[in-house]
Amino acid sequence: MESMENLFGSNVFNDAEMMRHLPKDTYRALRKTIEEGRRLDPAIAGVVAHAMKDWAISRGVTHYTHWFQPMTGITAEKHDAFIAPLPGGRVIESFSGSELVRGESDASSFPSGGLRSTFEARGYTAWDPTSYAFIKDNVLCIPTAFCSYGGEALDKKTPLLRSMDALSAQAVRVLRLFGRETARVVPTVGPEQEYFLIDRKLYEKRLDLVMTGRTLFGSKPPKGQELNDHYYGAIKPRVQAFMKDLNEELWRLGVLAKTEHNEAAPAQHEMAPIYAVVNVSADHNQLTMEIMKKVAERHGLVCLLAEKPFAGVNGSGKHNNWSMTTSAGDNLLEPGDSPYDSAQFLLFLVAVIRAVDEYQDLLRVSVASAGNDHRLGANEAPPAIISIFLGDELTAILQALESGEAYEGHGRQEMTVGVHALPKFPRDNTDRNRTSPFAFTGNKFEFRSLGASDSIADCNVALNAAVAESLRVYADELEAAEDFTSALHDLIVREIRAHRRIIFNGNGYSPEWVAEAEKRGLHNLRTTADAAPCLLEEKNIELFRRHRIYTPAEVHARYEILLEGYCKVLNIEAETALTMAKREILPAAMRYSGKLARDAAAIKSYAPALSARPEEKLLEEIAEEAALFSDRIDQLRQAVTAIPAAADVLTRACYMRDSVLPAMAALRRSADALETEVAREDWPFPTYADLLFQI
Ligand code: ADP
Ligand code: MG
């Protein structure tokens, strides 16, 4: 391997490259744009484009692309060569400032949720200079936001950038009240990414994996994850080779890939990068998912990012570690050493508590997808109920503040905001409840409900927006206060009281919590179809409108796209299940029962006194199960045929949830029962034991 110094960021037009390739004043102007999170001045764009092009060409690059993140949740790119014609049939390599800053895209095939009619199908992409350009497969990729000509966001990046501005504006106001000036406050995120690796040849034999990324059939193998022998276990050589390649590719792209380990389920792994500013982190996570798939292919493997590729073992999620940092690099969720710092910490802490309580529905819907519905609440991932884990010590401190009673943690201490420094609580203690969807882990919050394939943009838009709103309310109130310290104390106490229902330190997997959460009035939005309608609630539309993150029309578009996507995914799954059932599983069962019948008859005709009981018993069982299976094929077919195609999207989504999904589940039960009875050699595709253990 090359030295890390040479390797890391070698495919990125990063700060060091900018400094090397740009004239000093252009570099300074660009830095200022980046630091202040503003848009690029067209006057310097040409100079930057020229330098970027020369840098890219010197590395063998021939094309550039505006790399963007449409509402499909994955990334999109269209390559253009760096050529412009010259007289005499020659060409010159060219790339102008306007080509860098703004691109046009006839992107009528991307989902727009009705924001763009086809007669005005053009959209445009605009460079986000806070995320560095990079080289991928000999193409210069320019991270961009994607909007319609009317200015409506058609992607996941634009609202993320807007939510960062909103959060920054309000956080700067609050910090000013504490006498702290900062140009900007940025949300930082470290996303931990789970995934499965399986053998490519086995994968190719399963239509469900190829079509849907997850298995729709498969009986439980003799061994699952019950021995806990995979989690943090020694990494197999083939997986190790994959990880080595993955790391190198990610490092070249400037992704701070840091931690790798085996996860709970067999064939499941995790990669965690060091955190970055959230828009960069979102870009890097998209790249990570893409590169994981590509590198896996080179190793004869397939990387599965579906939320629930296998029943009976854990699915894959993503943990969104989130905090806020000032321009000086101070983490606002780091408990302070002095009473003054503690007061500031407490204010930001209650801002998050309020945000999560008031907008639990938005956080839930931000991670909603057909795939993730299989995980949340299935005792392997947090429940669908959103709550906050603070740990005993911090909870006790808040209780003491709320009640005005003494805090008994480290000696008796009266708690008054602005007077006492918080006791130093051991960070480790705060991270052990893995059942909580939203856990404070010492100096950041970890939102654990994301699905493995999610873009992290959606949940961070919701989180940034909700926290911006808390901070706005607080700043309004505190700016008007006569005595800041006592107003601050009263506000914090009031907020703890108002929002303590969202704090839950117990076991989120227990049935008691479901009952308790209901008593507390918390949402329990179990599926995407349940969660999506809350997007349209007035308070949520107002939140996004007020902070200029989404217009009401943009919210509606996202609601449509979410539910439309849910219906489509379930429809594809149902059709795939039907195809496999009819063309592979049922024929296998019939073939095998035919064999059994012939064998039994042969035995009997050889010598009538001989017993054919094993054949007959098995034949009877299979015949019965196969008959049930065949009926269930018909029932699923009927359910799919009866999809109310003309109905509105919510009606269709509810129908998919209530009619199609249960019919798929019933079909699967029969198929999995057949799998345990049909001979190994007659089963038409690889089993769970093959997929999970043959690597
Ligand atoms: P674990 O969750 O396994 O205990 P860590 O707590 O070390 O692991 O970190 C998990 C993730 O949180 C890493 O991606 C790390 O970079 C990220 N992280 C650490 N500090 C911050 C922060 N201030 N803001 C956002 N993410 C952070
Ligand atoms: Mg974690």
Side-chain angles (χ1 to χ4, degrees):
M1 198 182 92
E2 289 167 59
S3 72
M4 186 60 94
E5 199 187 336
N6 285 337
L7 188 72
F8 191 82
S10 58
N11 284 341
V12 184
F13 194 65
N14 56 19
D15 197 58
E17 295 298 331
M18 287 180 190
M19 205 187 297
R20 191 170 314 145
H21 293 274
L22 292 173
K24 267 204 180 62
D25 48 339
T26 311
Y27 170 75
R28 265 198 300 271
L30 183 59
R31 271 305 330 155
K32 204 165 140 62
T33 310
I34 292 170
E35 272 152 27
E36 293 173 7
R38 288 183 298 105
R39 306 290 171 259
L40 191 65
D41 176 359
I44 63 168
V47 185
V48 177
H50 192 80
M52 214 186 256
K53 181 200 71 187
D54 286 351
W55 170 81
I57 287 173
S58 75
R59 285 166 158 71
V61 168
T62 52
H63 289 69
Y64 71 93
T65 182
H66 278 203
W67 185 74
F68 60 102
Q69 302 173 21
M71 292 190 275
T72 50
I74 52 175
T75 59
E77 49 193 79
K78 180 191 79 174
H79 303 166
D80 279 300
F82 286 127
I83 55 170
L86 285 179
R90 289 170 308 132
V91 291
I92 180 175
E93 282 163 327
S94 110
F95 182 50
S96 69
S98 58
E99 283 169 316
L100 165 65
V101 171
R102 194 167 153 129
E104 278 215 33
S105 186
D106 170 23
S108 50
S109 293
F110 291 113
S112 80
L115 280 179
R116 220 180 18 167
S117 35
T118 32
F119 63 86
E120 46 181 26
R122 286 180 314 165
Y124 70 89
T125 49
W127 185 31
D128 162 19
T130 61
S131 184
Y132 298 132
F134 57 89
I135 298 169
K136 179 167 70 74
D137 299 330
N138 286 326
V139 175
L140 173 68
C141 298
I142 300 150
T144 55
F146 178 42
C147 291
S148 77
Y149 265 81
E152 287 109 346
L154 295 173
D155 67 347
K156 293 189 182 266
K157 188 68 166 291
T158 308
L160 183 61
L161 294 173
R162 292 178 185 162
S163 75
M164 291 168 68
D165 286 347
L167 181 74
S168 180
Q170 302 305 330
V172 165
R173 279 179 75 196
V174 166
L175 285 173
R176 194 167 295 138
L177 289 163
F178 285 89
R180 298 206 155 97
E181 288 298 329
T182 177
R184 215 171 143 72
V185 168
V186 290
T188 50
V189 166
E192 302 164 53
Q193 177 73 50
E194 291 180 338
Y195 59 97
F196 279 85
L197 284 180
I198 59 169
D199 187 87
R200 178 150 211 106
K201 289 208 177 67
L202 298 174
Y203 162 92
E204 281 164 358
K205 293 188 180 134
R206 293 204 48 142
L207 190 68
D208 47 4
L209 284 175
V210 173
M211 289 292 144
T212 73
R214 70 185 196 95
T215 58
L216 302 172
F217 301 105
S219 74
K220 216 179 140 352
K223 174 182 160 175
Q225 65 189 49
E226 57 275 59
L227 294 179
N228 297 320
D229 53 353
H230 195 254
Y231 190 59
Y232 282 19
I235 299 170
K236 290 178 183 162
R238 201 169 165 201
V239 174
Q240 189 65 65
F242 159 87
M243 287 178 171
K244 179 175 181 290
D245 257 18
L246 174 68
N247 286 332
E248 280 185 31
E249 287 233 6
L250 290 176
W251 289 334
R252 275 183 211 288
L253 289 165
V255 178
L256 292 156
K258 168 89 175 162
T259 309
E260 60 194 22
H261 61 81
N262 286 352
E263 258 299 331
Q268 191 184 29
H269 315 279
E270 179 181 299
M271 194 288 280
I274 297 171
Y275 68 93
V277 177
V278 63
N279 63 322
V280 172
S281 194
D283 286 357
H284 283 180
N285 184 250
Q286 288 287 3
L287 279 173
T288 299
M289 293 192 283
E290 182 182 329
I291 306 284
M292 278 178 167
K293 296 197 162 201
K294 206 167 69 185
V295 172
E297 213 167 314
R298 285 211 295 268
H299 290 261
L301 299 165
V302 174
C303 171
L304 300 177
L305 292 172
E307 279 72 25
K308 190 70 185 175
F310 303 100
V313 295
N314 277 13
S316 298
K318 187 136 60 187
H319 290 175
N320 190 81
N321 294 273
W322 180 95
S323 191
M324 296 166 275
T325 306
T326 64
S327 303
D330 294 326
N331 177 356
L332 296 176
L333 292 177
E334 182 82 51
D337 291 330
S338 73
Y340 203 63
D341 289 340
S342 293
Q344 181 190 302
F345 164 75
L346 280 174
L347 187 65
F348 280 98
L349 182 76
V350 294
V352 178
I353 294 173
R354 176 200 166 95
V356 175
D357 186 25
E358 297 271 321
Y359 298 101
Q360 2 160 343
D361 50 349
L362 274 186
L363 288 173
R364 170 64 185 92
V365 76
S366 75
V367 297
S369 67
N372 214 16
D373 285 355
H374 297 292
R375 290 177 65 244
L376 302 180
N379 288 0
E380 59 164 276
I385 305 160
I386 302 290
S387 66
I388 296 183
F389 172 85
L390 284 183
D392 293 338
E393 194 144 9
L394 195 49
T395 306
I397 290 169
L398 295 192
Q399 262 159 12
L401 277 168
E402 185 196 340
S403 63
E405 283 164 12
Y407 169 65
E408 306 278 359
H410 299 274
R412 218 177 138 75
Q413 199 177 59
E414 298 292 335
M415 292 295 297
T416 310
V417 171
V419 178
H420 295 286
L422 290 178
K424 272 275 165 232
F425 39 86
R427 188 163 295 170
D428 244 352
N429 258 351
T430 61
D431 191 28
R432 293 307 138 212
N433 185 334
R434 310 304 293 181
T435 68
S436 176
F438 204 94
F440 185 67
T441 54
N443 62 354
K444 62 189 184 291
F445 277 99
E446 182 169 359
F447 186 27
R448 301 192 178 121
S449 305
L450 287 75
S453 67
D454 280 344
S455 156
I456 64 166
D458 291 337
C459 80
N460 286 297
V461 168
L463 193 53
N464 295 342
V467 175
E469 175 61 9
S470 300
L471 296 173
R472 180 193 70 83
V473 171
Y474 296 173
D476 281 357
E477 187 172 326
L478 295 172
E479 281 168 1
E482 282 182 8
D483 176 1
F484 174 66
T485 310
S486 75
L488 179 64
H489 176 86
D490 294 350
L491 184 151
I492 289 177
V493 170
R494 185 195 74 213
E495 287 292 284
I496 297 169
R497 197 163 291 154
H499 300 292
R500 68 173 162 215
R501 65 170 186 170
I502 198 74
I503 298 168
F504 176 64
N505 293 327
N507 178 5
Y509 293 176
S510 72
E512 292 80 30
W513 170 233
V514 177
E516 164 70 14
E518 193 177 346
K519 253 191 250 152
R520 295 191 191 184
L522 301 180
H523 285 287
N524 185 3
L525 302 164
R526 287 185 29 256
T527 69
T528 303
D530 297 306
C534 66
L535 272 174
L536 303 185
E537 269 179 36
E538 194 45 46
K539 71 164 176 94
N540 295 334
I541 295 207
E542 175 55 21
L543 169 77
F544 288 131
R545 195 199 55 75
R546 181 194 287 275
H547 292 280
R548 299 174 188 282
I549 295 167
Y550 290 127
T551 62
E554 287 171 336
V555 177
H556 272 93
R558 281 168 211 250
Y559 162 84
E560 291 273 332
I561 289 168
L562 173 64
L563 285 175
E564 212 44 89
Y566 175 77
C567 294
K568 283 177 183 161
V569 165
L570 291 184
N571 194 56
I572 292 169
E573 289 188 352
E575 290 292 353
T576 306
L578 280 167
T579 306
M580 290 172 79
K582 246 186 137 142
R583 304 194 51 201
E584 298 183 56
I585 301 172
L586 193 58
M590 293 187 305
R591 219 167 27 242
Y592 187 55
S593 16
K595 261 192 218 169
L596 289 171
R598 281 192 299 278
D599 288 355
I603 291 170
K604 287 287 177 197
S605 74
Y606 175 74
L610 281 180
S611 163
R613 261 193 57 224
E615 288 79 1
E616 286 163 6
K617 240 171 64 188
L618 196 51
L619 183 55
E620 214 164 284
E621 278 169 24
I622 293 180
E624 204 164 302
E625 195 61 61
L628 194 59
F629 184 64
S630 158
D631 290 346
R632 287 175 169 175
I633 292 178
D634 297 342
Q635 283 152 14
L636 178 57
R637 175 48 70 203
Q638 267 162 24
V640 171
T641 309
I643 292 172
D648 69 279
V649 71
L650 181 60
T651 308
R652 275 184 284 133
C654 292
Y655 178 87
M656 299 307 281
R657 177 195 61 195
D658 299 334
S659 301
V660 175
L661 268 176
M664 276 172 65
L667 182 68
R668 175 179 188 146
R669 279 195 299 278
S670 281
D672 293 358
L674 284 171
E675 187 192 319
T676 64
E677 297 186 309
V678 172
R680 175 90 169 89
E681 59 178 13
D682 286 293
W683 196 248
F685 41 72
T687 63
Y688 272 26
D690 305 328
L691 294 167
L692 289 170
F693 295 96
Q694 281 190 27
I695 167 163

